[in-house]
Amino acid sequence: MSEVKINKLGKLIEIFDEMSRDLNLGRLSNSETDVLLSISKKYSAINSKNINIKDINFTDYNGKPIAKSTLYKVLKSLCNKNLITPLGSERSSLYKLN
């Protein structure tokens, strides 16, 4: 990888870290990032703030499916970080983007 690409990647990471600090999130784990990207890809096109996790194909960085147990732990973590809020009961598949 060229030095220019490494410098650009470094700048992107710095920007992401600054945004995470501004939002008081800390650093997101790889799984949190993967789930958030899956949500973003699905819902940015339709401009909706409501998320139905049944409509999303959650995959990791390498395109492999994210295990259900991991998904639910990550959703709980994203709720704790106030990025999403559950709608309805605790077992509901509906969430709202904050």
Side-chain angles (χ1 to χ4, degrees), residues 16 20 25-33 36 78 81 83:
F16 184 76
S20 294
L25 298 176
R27 278 203 168 159
L28 297 177
S29 70
N30 288 341
S31 295
E32 290 171 328
T33 302
L36 206 51
L78 293 175
K81 291 182 178 189
L83 290 171

Side-chain angles (χ1 to χ4, degrees), residues 3 6-7 13 18 20-21 23-24 28 34 42 46 50-51 56-57 63 67 69 73-75 85 90 95:
E3 186 177 332
I6 292 172
N7 288 338
I13 292 169
E18 286 176 25
S20 294
R21 252 190 312 277
L23 296 170
N24 294 319
L28 297 177
D34 293 337
K42 176 70 176 180
I46 60 174
N50 293 334
I51 304 163
I56 301 173
N57 181 21
S69 59
K73 287 177 191 173
V74 169
L75 290 172
T85 302
E90 186 177 312
Y95 291 84

